Amino acid sequence: MTNVLSTEDKARPILQHKDFLTLGHFNKTEITMLLAEAVKLKKQTKAGIFNPCLRGKVLGMIFEKASTRTRVSFEVGMLQLGGEAIFLSAGDIQLGRGESNADTAKVLSRYVDGLMIRTFSHKIIETYAQYATVPVINGLTDLHHPTQVLADLLTIYEHKGKLAGLKLAYFGDGNNNMCHSLMEGAVKVGMDVAIACPTNYRPNPEILGELKQEATANGTKLSVSESPAEAMVDADIVVTDVWASMGKEQENEERKNIFAPYQVNENLCKHAKADFTFLHCLPAHRGEEVSAAIMDGSHSVVFDEAENRLHAQKALLKLLLG
C-alpha cells in the first residue's frame, strides 16, 4: 500500500479529527494510514499477538438500531486491544427522550473514553460529536456507514493489491448510507465509481455534488445512471445492498418491483471484468438484490469483508482512543 506511514515509524500516526462521522472528513493519507494499521493488526491477530494498547479504556456503544457485525466487532476489538466495551440500548439510556442528546453526550464523556453510536438520524451523531469531549464513532446512520466502508476498502486492497485505478460499481438504492460512504471512500483513495439506481433513488444531491467536484479534482470518475449494464462495464468491484434498509421495511414489496432490474446476477456480471470481486455488507437476501450464484460464488468475498470489520475498527479504535 503506497503513501502509507510505515508502522515501524517512531512517530505516532495522527488523525486530524477526533471523531469518525464520515469518510468525507478524512483525506487519502489518513484513510490509507488507517488501512495500513488494520493490515498490521490483522497480521498480529492471526499470529495470536494482541497489544493491550487500550488497557483501562472503555468504549460506550449506543444502539438505536439492531446490529450483529457492528456490536460484535467493536466489542471484540476493544477486548483484543485490552479495553472494554459497554452496550447501551436506546431504551437503557433514554436516547433523546428523558434527556437531551447534548446532555447525554456530556454526561457519558465523564465515564467513557469513546462513544460508538448506531442510530437513525445523522443529526443525532453530529450532536453527540459537538457536545462530547471524547471521540465519537459513527457505527451507522441513515446517511452514512463509514466503518463498514473502511472494512470494504481493506478487503478490496487484500484481494486486488491496490485501490487507486480500480472501478467500483454499486447497484440498488443510491440514496442510502452504504452508497454514500462507498462513494466517499472510493473517491478519496482514487477509485472510479459508477452508481446504477432508479431516478427517484439517486444519492443525496449535496453529497453527490461535493464528491463529483472532488472526483474531477483528483482525476477519477463518478457517474450515476439508470442503466445497470452501463454501470457494470469493466467493473473491478461489484457492490450491492438490501433494497429496504432498516426503518423502510414497510416499503419492501414496492421496492422489490422497483429494484428488480438492478439485481446483481450472472447475466449482469458478464459486463464486469472477468476477475471482478463481489462485496455485500450483509445481511443479504439471496434472490432479491443478489442471486445465490453470485453471493456464494467464487467472486464473492463477503465473509472476508465481514471479518475485516473487526480489523478495520481495531485500527480506528487504536488511533482515536490510544
Side-chain angles (χ1 to χ4, degrees), residues 14-319:
I14 298 296
L15 297 177
Q16 295 180 10
H17 300 270
K18 84 172 179 69
D19 304 308
F20 189 75
L21 305 188
T22 80
L23 283 166
H25 291 164
F26 293 81
N27 58 38
K28 180 179 180 179
T29 298
E30 292 175 305
I31 293 172
T32 51
M33 180 195 305
L34 282 163
L35 295 175
E37 188 66 29
V39 169
K40 172 188 171 184
L41 290 171
K42 183 172 183 177
K43 287 180 179 178
Q44 291 177 345
T45 300
K46 295 295 186 181
I49 301 170
F50 300 98
N51 177 12
C53 58
L54 297 186
R55 181 182 287 120
K57 303 279 187 176
V58 178
L59 177 71
M61 305 191 303
I62 300 173
F63 285 87
E64 190 176 17
K65 281 188 174 184
S67 168
T68 299
R69 281 153 291 276
T70 298
R71 177 179 178 177
V72 176
S73 57
F74 269 106
E75 195 159 341
V76 172
M78 281 299 293
L79 290 171
Q80 290 185 352
L81 292 172
E84 296 185 32
I86 298 175
F87 175 82
L88 301 166
S89 73
D92 290 336
I93 62 169
Q94 307 178 57
L95 186 63
R97 182 163 54 91
E99 181 175 65
S100 71
N101 288 315
D103 285 354
T104 301
K106 293 175 183 177
V107 170
L108 291 178
S109 295
R110 303 293 183 104
Y111 302 140
V112 300
D113 302 282
L115 288 167
M116 187 283 296
I117 305 173
R118 184 176 171 93
T119 186
F120 289 91
S121 170
H122 195 73
K123 290 182 179 179
I124 290 176
I125 203 162
E126 289 179 332
T127 299
Y128 270 81
Q130 179 180 354
Y131 291 99
T133 57
V134 297
V136 174
I137 298 171
N138 179 1
L140 176 144
T141 66
D142 286 345
L143 202 60
H144 295 280
H145 198 356
T147 55
Q148 174 65 55
V149 173
L150 195 61
D152 291 355
L153 294 176
L154 175 60
T155 308
I156 293 167
Y157 175 74
E158 286 181 337
H159 285 272
K160 296 297 186 183
K162 65 176 183 178
L163 294 172
L166 296 175
K167 177 182 176 180
L168 182 148
Y170 172 89
F171 302 87
D173 186 358
N175 190 24
N176 87 341
N177 47 27
M178 276 303 300
C179 184
H180 294 151
S181 289
L182 279 166
M183 288 193 302
E184 288 183 334
V187 168
K188 292 284 184 181
V189 299
M191 298 172 68
D192 293 334
V193 182
I195 308 298
C197 61
T199 301
N200 293 335
Y201 295 86
R202 289 170 61 88
N204 177 285
E206 183 177 346
I207 295 172
L208 181 61
E210 291 176 358
L211 288 174
K212 278 193 171 183
Q213 291 182 10
E214 187 165 352
T216 300
N218 68 15
T220 58
K221 300 175 183 177
L222 172 58
S223 63
V224 181
S225 169
E226 291 182 56
S227 170
E230 178 183 324
M232 185 66 86
V233 172
D234 292 332
D236 298 286
I237 310 299
V238 176
V239 191
T240 189
D241 192 9
V242 295
W243 291 337
S245 299
M246 280 182 284
K248 298 179 180 178
E249 292 85 355
Q250 71 279 4
E251 303 174 20
N252 191 47
E253 291 305 314
E254 177 186 2
R255 284 171 172 259
K256 282 182 180 180
N257 294 324
I258 294 172
F259 290 109
Y262 296 87
Q263 183 191 77
V264 174
N265 52 40
E266 304 91 307
N267 187 52
L268 179 59
C269 288
K270 290 178 181 177
H271 300 283
K273 288 185 178 176
D275 64 344
F276 77 90
T277 297
F278 174 72
L279 299 179
H280 192 306
C281 64
L282 303 180
H285 300 152
R286 293 166 177 80
E288 292 186 15
E289 73 273 7
V290 59
S291 68
I294 296 298
M295 176 69 185
D296 301 313
S298 60
H299 295 277
S300 177
V301 296
V302 297
F303 297 107
D304 291 346
E305 178 187 8
E307 178 191 340
N308 280 337
R309 288 292 301 276
L310 171 63
H311 308 299
Q313 285 160 191
K314 283 172 68 176
L316 184 62
L317 290 166
K318 179 180 177 182
L319 295 184

Side-chain angles (χ1 to χ4, degrees), residues 1-21:
M1 192 176 293
T2 58
N3 298 322
V4 175
L5 181 64
S6 169
T7 54
E8 300 302 320
D9 289 350
K10 292 182 179 179
R12 178 184 178 275
I14 298 296
L15 297 177
Q16 295 180 10
H17 300 270
K18 84 172 179 69
D19 304 308
F20 189 75
L21 305 188

